[in-house]
Amino acid sequence: MSTQASAVKRVKKRRPDQSMGWTPYLFVLPNLLIFSVFIVIPTIIGFVYSFHQYDGLNPMEFVGFDNYKEIFKDSEFWGALGKTARYAVIAVPSIYCVSLAVAMMLIQPLRAKGLFRSIFYWPTMISYIIVGLTWKWIFGDFGIMNYVLSLFGSEPIQFMSNPFFANLSVIIATVWSRLGFYMVIFMAGLQAIPIDYYEAARLDGASKIRVFRSITLPLLKPTTVLVVMLALIDAFKAYPLLFALTGGGPGKETTFIVQYIYETGFAKQELGMASAMSVVLFVLICLFTALQNKLSKGGED
Amino acid sequence: MNKLMKTVTIAMVFVLLTVLTACGSKESADGGNGAGKKASLDFVWFSDGNEGEIMKSIINDYQTKNPNITVNLIEVPYKDLGTKLKTMISGGKPPALARISTTELGAFANQAIDLSASNGGLDSYTAQYVDSIKPFYVVNGKAVAAPMDVTANGLIYNKTLFDKAGVKVPTSQDNIWTWDEFSAALKQVMDKGGAKYGMVWDYTPQRWSTLLYQFGGSMMSEDGTKATINNEAGVKAAEYFKKLHDDGIMPTSVWLGGDNPNNLFRTGSVAAHFAGNWMIGNYKDIQNFQWGVTYMPKGTTRSSVPGGKFAMAFQKSGVEKEATDFINYISSKEVNAKYCTDALFLSPRKDNSKLEYAFGKDMMELFSNELNNTVPAAAQDWSRQTIVPKFSNDLKTTLSDIIGGKTSAKDGMDKVAQLIDKAIASEKK
């Protein structure tokens, strides 16, 4: 009898009524404590704040749904949300395509594969602030990129002062900083696809594109759902990188929703209003996630 | 095996709880002041330059004279000051003291100790300080903070480039430039002196408002009941600011791209920097060119914008009396004189108006002159610190939109005026 078979037998020996007692709960306890203290309780308190006028210092004043009513009339809020959606629509597919391409490349039997994997993964280990500042040095109007362009006799490009280039810079920096993280997830997904399928396809004479479309993509569906969902949530929560890179400018061109909420709460000292905005964002992200999960049937089949 | 797992789990939870309890008990041990005579004062501080080191030496002197008092300087970056104080106060553990700027002063006024109460009443307390900053620290008839230094906006210029272009700067109040004359002078420095840009201007609404006041405008009416920023003077100031960019005198990279104007001026390729007097200390180490301070140009009138840094003592710190005594010490004539001369600041005390600076005495006097020629509207507007934060960021981004051509000066100023009126209305509720 093989080791695997004996292990299965051991597991099967446990009767359904045989409980493990409170041991599993103890394993969950540390994370549950941390999650409750730092996520659940602040979320509930934020929800309570959203019905008040509150500056963080002086006594709160209950205002009912006034904050929510004001949000629906606030064109700047919806403008910032629209810009965030535009950013997500461009950034998420870009991250998806680039990280999948790199992952497919780096599961091939290449020389120095480990080194290349490290190079792509390295940016994910740097704080967003540093990533933002680094790209600011590159794309700044007096930055490295314009210096290099000037060496070739080209006119400087106003990467940070021009709305189009500022948005482009933000996308490039985002993809660069997140690519490694999603690459790792894709590599795990790709390596989980049985090699037999590819061998069978090769024997049948399928082209590489056909193999990709008929085997790789369908079998990567659970990974794809995970990546798209994580990247989309990331995009809607994006703030430190953008703040360090463009400061939300020029004007408010790259002021996305989280920065707008932050400014409402901490610059304008309207914590109640900012909390209500956070609740709206929370609901939107939940809706997105639920919808996406439903459409993809949770990544099954 | 199962038993072993249980034991390990219980041990892990025990360790975790012990660590959490230990953290909690450490905090309470630190937090309590005890019943002894000794008092420990937490002083939340930020530095623009070397003033943190100067304050440390003042604290050392104070501790030598008052051995029962310990002052802990808690240094934070300026941008974190508001959040840090808010967290400490709303968490029920306010610091004894904080260094605070005009931007935060209004928000914390209700939590501050009235310093005039222990100093012979409000009139005698305010009589010590220059009048222009009184609206900042006197809130609802209480002196909520002690002025430590007073600031003015002014013009720093690259002497080497101006000399190369043969452009002479005004030498007295009688021959100062108009804005058109100044623009022409900057173009000459660009053409003949080789300056890449004529001027850089700090990316803040406060610094821009200097132009507003010089053009005869204001942000709010004198009684603070309605916005005036969109009147003819306000729109002209915004249009002129855009023109300076359109004419290539100012780089768009500061107000649109977020470039640091200090760094650009330091390269030696920018003719002038429109900044505050605190930049004198910052530029002290420049070696690659000569620089100086000259009179700002005028519009329909001359004006700067007053500001300053203050020390605030907080209620419910448990050491209110000791904190008040310490503030009274650091704002005394002698100690304030030492602080301002060493840090190259202007003193807010009337009896320290003539200080012997080791560096840049003439420059400090020029900034002082700008302050003395400031319209009252500047202090009135910027002292309304419960209203200003609600629109100042929008004013900054709207000006960027005007420069970038996304909106006209009139429409932009109308939009800001609406925000000001809304903030005033919500204040009255």
Side-chain angles (χ1 to χ4, degrees):
Chain A
M1 192 183 284
S2 71
T3 324
Q4 200 179 358
S6 68
V8 169
K9 201 175 172 189
R10 266 209 306 277
V11 171
K12 278 184 178 169
K13 268 165 76 181
R14 190 189 294 282
R15 291 191 306 275
D17 60 332
Q18 192 180 3
S19 164
M20 286 175 75
W22 38 275
T23 311
Y25 298 101
L26 285 180
F27 276 104
V28 175
L29 187 65
N31 211 17
L32 184 73
L33 272 177
I34 293 166
F35 191 74
S36 304
V37 171
F38 295 107
I39 309 279
V40 179
I41 295 172
T43 305
I44 295 166
I45 293 173
F47 190 70
V48 173
Y49 282 175
S50 73
F51 295 103
H52 291 82
Q53 192 174 31
Y54 183 44
D55 65 358
L57 286 170
N58 296 305
M60 287 194 280
E61 189 190 330
F62 183 74
V63 292
F65 284 94
D66 283 4
N67 287 336
Y68 289 96
K69 282 182 203 159
E70 206 160 320
I71 288 171
F72 285 100
K73 288 187 286 181
D74 183 359
S75 58
E76 296 242 350
F77 175 82
W78 296 106
L81 197 62
K83 278 177 221 154
T84 315
R86 185 184 62 193
Y87 160 75
V89 163
I90 301 168
V92 174
S94 307
I95 288 173
Y96 175 82
C97 295
V98 179
S99 50
L100 178 58
V102 173
M104 288 183 69
M105 202 165 64
L106 292 182
I107 57 165
Q108 306 298 325
L110 291 173
R111 196 177 292 172
K113 193 164 60 177
L115 176 71
F116 287 120
R117 285 178 181 181
S118 310
I119 289 171
F120 283 108
Y121 189 73
W122 175 72
T124 64
M125 295 189 288
I126 314 170
S127 103
Y128 281 128
I129 301 285
I130 305 295
V131 173
L133 290 175
T134 308
W135 283 95
K136 195 180 172 79
W137 289 331
I138 297 170
F139 284 138
D141 288 4
F142 294 91
I144 298 163
M145 190 67 89
N146 272 331
Y147 175 73
V148 173
L149 286 174
S150 71
L151 293 180
F152 293 100
S154 169
E155 280 295 304
I157 297 172
Q158 294 182 323
F159 287 105
M160 294 290 125
S161 316
N162 177 296
F164 172 77
F165 284 110
N167 276 294
L168 184 68
S169 309
V170 161
I171 299 280
I172 293 172
T174 306
V175 173
W176 183 82
S177 69
R178 301 308 292 154
L179 149 66
F181 177 73
Y182 294 111
M183 172 197 79
V184 171
I185 298 179
F186 273 128
M187 276 168 45
L190 287 169
Q191 283 168 339
I193 299 173
I195 198 90
D196 312 6
Y197 295 173
Y198 291 109
E199 280 171 3
R202 203 178 304 132
L203 286 174
D204 287 346
S207 68
K208 279 187 176 171
I209 293 172
R210 183 66 200 260
V211 168
F212 178 72
R213 279 178 52 206
S214 303
I215 299 176
T216 311
L217 269 188
L219 291 175
L220 263 186
K221 201 174 169 190
T223 317
T224 299
V225 171
L226 178 71
V227 166
V228 171
M229 264 165 54
L230 288 180
L232 193 68
I233 293 168
D234 253 6
F236 271 84
K237 289 179 4 189
Y239 170 59
L241 191 157
L242 314 178
F243 188 70
L245 178 57
T246 64
K252 286 189 173 178
E253 289 295 335
T254 56
T255 301
F256 297 157
I257 194 67
V258 176
Q259 186 177 339
Y260 185 72
I261 294 173
Y262 173 83
E263 281 170 3
T264 305
F266 294 97
K268 294 189 177 180
Q269 296 162 9
E270 293 175 2
L271 282 183
M273 178 66 77
S275 299
M277 291 174 177
S278 304
V279 171
V280 173
L281 182 63
F282 174 76
V283 171
L284 281 175
I285 291 179
C286 285
L287 283 176
F288 269 140
T289 314
L291 184 72
Q292 204 175 16
N293 215 21
K294 196 171 168 60
L295 288 177
S296 62
K297 293 175 190 150
E300 285 169 9
D301 59 70
Chain B
M1 185 68 184
N2 200 11
K3 203 172 176 183
L4 179 68
M5 289 292 279
K6 255 186 187 174
T7 317
V8 171
T9 313
I10 291 166
M12 275 175 64
V13 172
F14 182 73
V15 169
L16 185 77
L17 289 175
T18 313
V19 170
L20 287 175
T21 317
C23 291
S25 59
K26 184 178 181 291
E27 197 178 317
S28 61
D30 287 352
N33 282 311
K37 285 179 185 172
K38 285 181 180 272
S40 176
L41 312 181
D42 285 341
F43 193 175
V44 177
W45 184 268
F46 66 91
S47 291
D48 290 322
N50 64 339
E51 66 270 31
E53 293 307 310
I54 295 156
M55 183 46 66
K56 278 179 193 163
S57 87
I58 290 172
I59 288 170
N60 282 338
D61 293 347
Y62 184 77
Q63 289 178 158
T64 313
K65 289 175 194 160
N66 300 274
N68 58 329
I69 305 287
T70 310
V71 182
N72 308 314
L73 210 60
I74 303 171
E75 296 199 61
V76 295
Y78 172 64
K79 67 181 176 56
D80 294 340
L81 178 75
T83 318
K84 174 83 180 169
L85 288 177
K86 218 170 253 187
T87 315
M88 292 177 89
I89 294 168
S90 56
K93 288 192 187 281
L97 306 143
R99 184 188 190 208
I100 206 153
S101 83
T102 51
T103 314
E104 288 81 24
L105 217 148
F108 296 99
N110 288 345
Q111 282 71 37
I113 291 171
D114 179 7
L115 296 169
S116 66
S118 56
N119 280 287
L122 191 64
D123 289 341
S124 84
Y125 188 71
T126 55
Q128 305 174 86
Y129 302 107
V130 289
D131 298 330
S132 62
I133 51 167
K134 190 175 164 185
F136 288 108
Y137 69 93
V138 177
V139 179
N140 297 329
K142 291 175 185 168
V144 298
M148 291 179 72
D149 72 275
V150 63
T151 59
N153 297 343
L155 190 65
I156 297 170
Y157 72 104
N158 183 320
K159 216 170 175 177
T160 307
L161 290 176
F162 270 72
D163 287 349
K164 198 173 162 192
V167 177
K168 297 262 181 265
V169 300
T171 47
S172 83
Q173 297 183 69
D174 306 324
N175 61 353
I176 63 173
W177 287 307
T178 63
W179 264 101
D180 287 337
E181 286 167 348
F182 179 52
S183 297
L186 288 177
K187 276 188 179 158
Q188 199 175 330
V189 180
M190 288 166 74
D191 293 341
K192 295 184 182 168
K196 196 168 178 184
Y197 288 106
M199 176 168 49
V200 282
W201 195 308
D202 288 357
Y203 183 40
T204 84
Q206 196 263 17
R207 233 72 84 230
W208 171 79
S209 72
T210 320
L211 191 66
L212 175 75
Y213 300 119
Q214 288 170 355
F215 274 60
S218 61
M219 298 197 295
M220 286 169 262
S221 59
E222 203 177 326
D223 57 2
T225 54
K226 68 181 177 67
T228 52
I229 200 165
N230 57 340
N231 65 19
E232 198 187 342
V235 174
K236 265 189 182 169
E239 279 170 350
Y240 202 88
F241 196 56
K242 174 176 165 55
K243 186 174 179 291
L244 290 169
H245 285 89
D246 290 347
D247 291 351
I249 290 173
M250 294 217 280
T252 53
S253 65
V254 175
W255 275 72
L256 295 180
D259 262 341
N260 185 332
N262 304 4
N263 293 345
L264 295 181
F265 185 75
R266 278 176 173 277
T267 62
S269 59
V270 177
H273 182 190
F274 214 88
N277 61 294
W278 57 90
M279 289 312 294
I280 295 177
N282 190 303
Y283 285 157
K284 206 173 148 186
D285 62 345
I286 288 180
Q287 299 288 330
N288 50 331
F289 60 88
Q290 286 191 306
W291 59 277
V293 173
T294 186
Y295 295 93
M296 283 193 286
K298 63 180 177 186
T300 55
T301 183
R302 286 185 69 192
S303 187
S304 178
V305 182
K309 306 291 181 332
F310 303 78
M312 186 180 260
F314 292 94
Q315 298 165 13
K316 298 177 186 168
S317 67
V319 283
E320 291 90 336
K321 192 192 168 300
E322 290 83 353
T324 310
D325 288 347
F326 180 73
I327 285 194
N328 289 339
Y329 173 77
I330 59 172
S331 51
S332 64
K333 182 177 186 296
E334 294 73 24
V335 179
N336 178 259
K338 172 185 162 50
Y339 175 73
C340 290
T341 45
D342 289 359
L344 294 178
F345 287 153
L346 292 171
S347 173
R349 291 191 64 93
K350 286 177 182 165
D351 50 8
N352 274 343
S353 60
K354 297 270 177 205
L355 291 174
E356 285 305 315
Y357 295 98
F359 175 86
K361 188 166 180 273
D362 297 345
M363 301 183 200
M364 299 303 280
E365 277 172 12
L366 256 162
F367 272 101
S368 198
N369 181 278
E370 297 289 5
L371 206 57
N372 296 335
N373 286 284
T374 294
V375 295
Q380 276 160 13
D381 279 344
W382 286 98
S383 64
R384 296 195 169 102
Q385 277 299 321
T386 47
I387 295 172
V388 172
K390 296 194 189 303
F391 70 86
S392 58
N393 199 48
D394 293 284
L395 171 58
K396 190 172 77 171
T397 50
T398 303
L399 285 165
S400 298
D401 285 343
I402 293 169
I403 295 163
K406 280 196 74 186
T407 182
S408 70
K410 176 69 181 145
D411 289 349
M413 290 297 116
D414 281 348
K415 187 184 130 195
V416 178
Q418 277 178 10
L419 289 171
I420 296 175
D421 284 336
K422 191 178 154 197
I424 292 171
S426 73
E427 183 77 0
K428 280 182 186 163
K429 268 185 192 172

